Amino acid sequence: MRFLLIIVCLLVAAPSMAHQLKSSVTTVLFNKRTHNVELMHRFYLHDTEHAVGTLFKGKIDIINNKADQLRFAKYVESHVALQTLSGEPLALSFVGAQVDGKFFWVYQEAPIPENIEGIKMSNGALRDLWPSQVNMVNVEGKGKIKTLNFTQGDTWLEARFEQN
């Protein structure tokens, strides 16, 4: 009987202990074919909908309204930055944004600097809304994949490339 009571208590308490993880994944691709560093930010559409409801006033439709999609993309752009290891900014250009199934994507790019040995990156998208937001970044196309995890108070993280 005691065991059954413990199980019932755990089942009742479980929903209150559940916490939805807020996260995004960004790929930073050094594309040798285009000679650009390409950023692909992937957000859960559910999180994006909640974010735009907080960030912008009025009726927002992130799924069907291209203007609202652009507003959120501009927000993301304002919270992401790239630099060389020496601190030289890489000027990111907006490429586009789209809804794709349960995800919202934002795309950016910049020319690859010559002789780049690594990058410094800042990715604060949605972290001003949700301090527990985790932004994972995979850096590809320059040797082994490097992963940066922006959590809590992280502002700038760096990825160094292996010398050939």
Side-chain angles (χ1 to χ4, degrees):
M1 180 66 173
R2 185 181 299 172
F3 180 71
L4 182 59
L5 182 59
I6 291 171
I7 296 296
V8 169
C9 288
L10 286 174
L11 290 174
V12 170
S16 67
M17 294 186 294
H19 175 73
Q20 182 185 8
L21 176 65
K22 301 285 189 190
S23 64
S24 73
V25 176
T26 295
T27 299
V28 176
L29 174 64
F30 284 82
N31 189 328
K32 293 174 184 157
R33 186 181 54 77
T34 64
H35 305 287
N36 284 328
V37 55
E38 302 168 354
L39 282 71
M40 297 156 276
H41 309 281
R42 186 187 80 182
F43 299 90
Y44 283 102
L45 189 55
H46 178 79
D47 293 345
T48 306
E49 289 175 310
H50 279 101
V52 297
T54 302
L55 292 169
F56 310 122
K57 302 295 182 222
K59 187 175 182 306
I60 305 295
D61 183 359
I62 194 75
I63 295 173
N64 299 305
N65 187 321
K66 295 291 183 190
D68 290 340
Q69 292 174 9
L70 184 59
R71 287 171 71 188
F72 183 73
K74 293 294 179 189
Y75 161 82
V76 172
E77 280 189 296
S78 71
H79 286 77
V80 173
L82 280 183
Q83 298 179 349
T84 63
L85 291 178
S86 62
E88 179 184 332
L90 277 68
L92 295 168
S93 300
F94 177 69
V95 175
Q98 70 176 5
V99 174
D100 180 28
K102 64 180 180 178
F103 299 110
F104 186 81
W105 292 85
V106 178
Y107 306 101
Q108 298 175 281
E109 67 181 8
I112 299 173
E114 288 188 38
N115 304 317
I116 190 163
E117 297 177 357
I119 59 165
K120 292 180 183 179
M121 183 173 186
S122 177
N123 186 343
L126 300 181
R127 295 178 62 219
D128 52 341
L129 297 178
W130 303 302
S132 63
Q133 171 79 20
V134 174
N135 294 333
M136 184 179 80
V137 177
N138 290 319
V139 181
E140 302 178 11
K142 284 286 193 181
K144 293 180 183 175
I145 295 175
K146 306 281 191 254
T147 300
L148 308 174
N149 284 302
F150 290 87
T151 61
Q152 303 298 322
D154 294 331
T155 53
W156 288 90
L157 299 176
E158 68 178 46
R160 295 183 177 270
F161 308 138
E162 292 88 19
Q163 300 301 315
N164 294 335

